[in-house]
Amino acid sequence: MNKQEHSLRILSVVLIIGGVVLQIFHTTAYGNGYFYTLFGFMFGLIAYINYSARLKAENAALQQRFDARQ
């Protein structure tokens, strides 16, 4: 993972854990903890989508180089 993907992943984990803690201890309204958790999952999904797309592009480039050598 590159730095942007790693940062998004850390942010998503923090938001998910924070949202769950807020929901468990009822420190805020129910909706706030739910939205933090939801945004955490969305950021995690975005990080993995970017990571997957980058790996697919790198694999395609490596496959082209491999095919050119044969």
Side-chain angles (χ1 to χ4, degrees):
M1 290 189 143
N2 62 18
K3 193 171 189 170
Q4 179 188 9
E5 294 160 351
H6 192 65
S7 299
L8 276 174
R9 181 74 175 137
I10 290 172
L11 178 64
S12 71
V13 168
V14 168
L15 284 173
I16 290 170
I17 292 172
V20 168
V21 167
L22 288 175
Q23 289 179 22
I24 289 174
F25 293 112
H26 303 289
T27 42
T28 62
Y30 173 75
N32 291 340
Y34 175 75
F35 283 118
Y36 289 145
T37 306
L38 179 66
F39 281 117
F41 280 117
M42 286 181 7
F43 284 143
L45 184 62
I46 290 169
Y48 278 116
I49 288 171
N50 290 341
Y51 181 61
S52 174
R54 188 173 53 82
L55 285 181
K56 282 182 186 177
E58 287 178 8
N59 285 342
L62 286 173
Q63 186 66 38
Q64 286 178 348
R65 286 179 51 197
F66 179 74
D67 290 340
R69 287 188 178 191
Q70 289 183 347

